[in-house]
Amino acid sequence: MQKQLLYALLFTFSLAFTHAQKPKTPASSEIYQAIQKLNFLGSVLYVAAHPDDENTRLIAYMSNHVKARTAYLSLTRGDGGQNLIGPEISELLGVIRTQELLAARGVDGGEQRFTRANDFGYSKHPDETLQIWNKDQVLSDVVLAIRQFKPDVIINRFDHRRAGETHGHHTSSALLSLEAFELASDKTAYPEQLNQTSLWQPNRLFYNTSWWRYGSQEAFDKLDKSNMLSIDIGTYYPLEGVSNNEMAALARSQHLSQGFGTLAQRGTQQEYIELLKGDTLSNKTGVFEGIDTSWNRVKGGKAVGNILNGVEKNFNFKNPAAHLPQLVEAYKWLQKVEDQHWKTQKTKELKDIIQMCAGLYLEASAETNWATQNDIVNLNIEVLNRSYYPMVLQSLNNARDLNIAKNITLKNNVKYDFKEVLKVESDAQPTTPYWLNTKGTLGMYQVDDANLIGLPETPRTYNIDFNLLIDNTPITFTKPIIQRYSKPDKGELYRPFEIIPEASAKITEKVIILNSDAQRDITVVVKAGRDNLEGDVEVCHPNDWSVFPKKQKVNIAHKGEEQTLVFTVIPPKNQSEGFISPIVHVGDAAYTKELIEINYEHIPFQTVLLPSESKIVRLDIKKRGENIGYIQGAGDVVPESLQQIGYNVRVITPDEINPETLSRFDAIVVGIRAYNTLEDLNFKQQQLFDFVENGGNMIVQYNTSHRLKVDALAPFDLKLSRDRVTDEHAEVRFLNPNHEVLNAPNKITTNDFEGWTQERGLYFPDSWSSEFTPVLSMNDQGETAKDGSLLIAKHGKGHYIYTGLSFFREFPAGVSGAYRLFANMLSLGKNDIKPNTKLND
């Protein structure tokens, strides 16, 4: 039932489909709601730091109850978070979470914007955040968002007065919003923006507060709330058959990579916002108190409003097409309005409503979902008018070279199909998230085209303009080219139409660890973006490494096919590390990027181009024990990483955990957040503890105390906290330098903690029983020592190890010290071990 409700909501609010959504013709009730929103000229901008920070309850309320144009400005795309649904981290996780935000807005009715700030990981203070971010650039982007969106009201998710008490990104979002509130109307602030937008002064700035800000409901109840608005966001929408808080829960549940699937809530629910700046609220009638949100707001709007308010008042639910004469008349009057901001926005909304009322189906489907430069692509164009209102398809064109006259009268419910040809230009740029085109810094994306700053996605390059004459009024509807296809087990499917390079390449392993100076084969996979691809491939490498052969030929007959090439890497005698990358030479062109596809059912299909490179490490590493059982948690590449250094790793499910299966392993490793995501582990803990008692080693990687699904995390008392060390360069001190884990079989020194990425670790325990030995101590600047990053307890004949160290980040980065330390953890107590028989896959 909930899934059906979600589809209905997506149907309601996705009036124009984007990159992979199936187009739908809304029901009359949805058209009526769109007209209500059309007649409201007011806007709200909600501001926070990350995907999933937004209050979907308030966004849904402002969009669907108040009828305001509502947007969420997320300063980052969430690259620094964790991924509960797959292995993607960093930039690729940012792509996923961008799409999850867009999916959420498709449910709650909001819009989405961003800045160029990169989520570099947890930050404990806004001073650190704004130092790593380029504060001036991020502030500029917030000002730009205000000037472009022109909100009457801004609502901050976080409190600017809480520096150092919460995530530095959170506080920074509030601080920057507060500053931008004043600067957006200042012509001396970022004057270059005025070439593409205009000055704007919002009326009010609020902070979205709650009892948790003050520690308890009791403390909150005692507050003076004279400067606050209370909003009941539990309102019920009969036209949708859903309440606002149910809708908000469905929107929040789109953040699957963060594990925010949640139960729907119902009934009255209070939300509070505190006025920080702007016009006072004398009567507390709402955030738009004293602001004219009618068509009288704009010069020339009265004539438009007279027509559209009449349509809303007398809406014909049985035959929405009956309103097409009034809607077209309002469209003509709207084109005379001088206010360019509202003219542009309301023209877009009105065109959508005209299309909905007419039951217009306009689609341009390509025979393939991707093409390359100079390709010829066959298109199937479909036009259908499901009303009796007279209209003519005058022509089809795009911004490139397609311009085809039609002059066809569109009869009621008669489908018109056209076969056309699209020529992809020789200079067409590949489709990829625009913010990843140029390498940025730790804290900032580099966006070379100022017109793209703030956009959630790369604009579609190839669209079709359907130029219609409706009651002798020319109206153009623009649709992106897509691919519509079907699968027997899926039905009708849609994918975006993408431009890809004629060749791309990848090395199958992102990190290559060599534990001796013996040569090793690596695999390079070349993918053809066109038919009859011919060229050669070489592998760039550090000077002290060798690769043989120097070049290999590639010859691929059909686009989409791949050719696998094997090169031999010869490492140096001594420890060394660097990067290797394939280059595909085709004629005079050289291609150095990897084509990555992201395919999850809850978001559109994504194509990403990133530099193709792999880290290669020659290290001296010793290990004891051979066979590792890995219990997958929230998704990481730890199993593959352990295989790199010679372990036999088998991923096991909770159902497979039994004494017989466990007896095959020297150690069991529990993946990140496994105890937050796998409920069945609660019933398997004792068998795992018995495995340790019988001589096995058990390594548990980080979990959060929130939503912990096991009663006992360890065989002894162990309590998790939110302690973390975010500075990847923080000093690491050895509490027990003689402990076996620091000495055998590899001697661990402070050098092994050099080159770590993003953080030292997270969610360290802060309380443990005497059976545990803390091994390491570390802390961020100005904080007390955190001693819970690596805890080891002898249990029977084996060892239980809990670690919050971020191995899941260090392994993909090829941090040699992380591999050496992990090998020591696996080797504990196995001085005389004889390798078990090699595991079957």
Side-chain angles (χ1 to χ4, degrees), residues 155-217:
I155 303 175
N156 289 346
R157 181 59 169 138
F158 299 107
D159 191 347
H160 64 285
R161 298 158 293 199
R162 299 190 67 190
E165 298 179 35
T166 183
H167 198 324
H169 296 184
H170 293 170
T171 312
S172 295
S173 72
L175 289 167
L176 293 170
S177 175
L178 203 72
E179 194 171 348
F181 180 85
E182 307 288 352
L183 292 177
S185 61
D186 183 352
K187 65 181 180 181
T188 66
Y190 310 110
E192 70 282 356
Q193 294 180 359
L194 301 179
N195 296 323
Q196 60 182 116
T197 186
S198 58
L199 300 176
W200 184 252
Q201 179 57 61
N203 291 72
R204 296 185 178 99
L205 173 66
F206 293 94
Y207 159 51
N208 184 191
T209 189
S210 181
W211 65 263
W212 45 258
R213 162 66 178 85
Y214 300 91
S216 69
Q217 184 67 52

Side-chain angles (χ1 to χ4, degrees), residues 556-696:
I556 304 175
H558 303 292
K559 70 177 181 180
E561 292 183 349
E562 296 178 340
Q563 183 175 340
T564 299
L565 305 172
V566 176
F567 288 84
T568 300
V569 173
I570 305 169
K573 296 289 185 183
N574 300 317
Q575 189 158 312
S576 172
E577 61 183 61
F579 291 91
I580 59 173
S581 56
I583 302 178
V584 183
H585 298 277
V586 180
D588 296 329
Y591 298 96
T592 60
K593 291 192 174 182
E594 174 184 357
L595 184 68
I596 302 166
E597 297 177 344
I598 299 176
N599 192 9
Y600 292 100
E601 289 189 358
H602 70 300
I603 59 173
F605 183 89
Q606 299 293 300
T607 299
V608 184
L609 281 167
L610 289 177
S612 181
E613 63 179 19
S614 295
K615 187 167 185 180
I616 191 159
V617 180
R618 160 75 171 95
L619 58 77
D620 293 316
I621 188 170
K622 302 177 181 66
K623 60 187 181 63
R624 298 170 182 153
E626 295 292 331
N627 299 324
I628 309 299
Y630 198 88
I631 302 171
Q632 204 90 46
D636 56 56
V637 294
V638 173
E640 296 89 337
S641 301
L642 296 178
Q643 288 171 338
Q644 286 265 11
I645 56 175
Y647 285 103
N648 305 316
V649 183
R650 178 183 164 192
V651 175
I652 59 174
T653 65
D655 289 342
E656 295 177 281
I657 297 174
N658 57 62
E660 181 182 353
T661 300
L662 295 177
S663 67
R664 305 173 189 172
F665 301 110
D666 301 310
I668 296 293
V669 180
V670 181
I672 61 172
R673 297 184 71 173
Y675 290 128
N676 297 131
T677 57
L678 301 176
E679 293 190 24
D680 289 348
L681 279 182
N682 193 37
F683 309 109
K684 301 292 185 175
Q685 280 292 80
Q686 190 55 53
Q687 294 183 53
L688 291 170
F689 297 159
D690 291 344
F691 164 77
V692 177
E693 196 168 14
N694 291 329

